Amino acid sequence: MKSKKSNPRRNFIKKSVLAASAFSAPDMLFGANSRLSPRNIGNSGKGNPPAPKRIALIANIYRNSAHADVIATKIFAGIPTDEGMVDPEIKIVSVWIDQIGDNDTGIRIAKMNGAEVYS
C-alpha cells in the first residue's frame, strides 16, 4: 500500500473548493444582517444607491487616444461591458488641462457633462 505523502495539487484543490464555498454562501460566514456581508458593503442601508463621489480631473493633455481621454471619457459617458453601459460610481465635477492644443477634446467633453473647467 502506498503511503500518503503531501500532494500539492490535491491541497490546492481542497483550498480552492473551500474558498469557492465561502463565496457561494457568504451569509453563513457573516450573517445576512451583518455590515460585513458582501450584499451590505457599499450600501447605505436605506435601499438607495450611494451618491457618486465628486472628483477633479487633472490632465496634461486631453485629446483623442490620450490617457486622459481613455480614462475620463469612460467616467463621463459610462463604462462599456458585455451587458451594456455601466454608470461609474464617481463623477468628474471640475477639470484642469495643462496643454490645450488644436486637437483637444477635453474642454468640449467637460462642458457637455457640466464639469467646471479651470484655466
Side-chain angles (χ1 to χ4, degrees):
M1 183 175 210
K2 293 183 181 179
S3 64
K4 289 188 178 183
K5 292 184 179 179
S6 177
N7 185 335
R9 183 173 180 270
R10 187 172 300 258
N11 290 338
F12 172 77
I13 292 171
K14 286 179 185 177
K15 289 177 183 177
S16 298
V17 169
L18 181 62
S21 64
F23 285 110
S24 65
D27 291 340
M28 291 176 60
L29 293 175
F30 299 109
N33 295 325
S34 170
R35 67 181 186 89
L36 296 176
S37 175
R39 71 175 73 182
N40 292 332
I41 293 175
N43 289 339
S44 61
K46 299 175 185 172
N48 296 333
K53 299 258 185 209
R54 299 165 45 95
I55 64 168
L57 170 70
I58 300 172
N60 189 30
I61 58 172
Y62 193 144
R63 59 177 165 73
N64 191 22
S65 299
H67 283 100
D69 176 51
V70 172
I71 297 168
T73 303
K74 287 181 181 174
I75 296 172
F76 279 132
I79 302 164
T81 66
D82 290 340
E83 290 80 31
M85 296 298 276
V86 175
D87 291 331
E89 295 179 3
I90 56 177
K91 180 178 180 178
I92 298 175
V93 294
S94 61
V95 174
W96 181 80
I97 302 170
D98 184 36
Q99 300 174 18
I100 300 173
D102 294 337
N103 58 353
D104 181 77
T105 57
I107 301 295
R108 182 172 43 92
I109 292 173
K111 287 182 179 178
M112 283 174 33
N113 289 285
E116 188 170 351
V117 179
Y118 290 91
S119 57

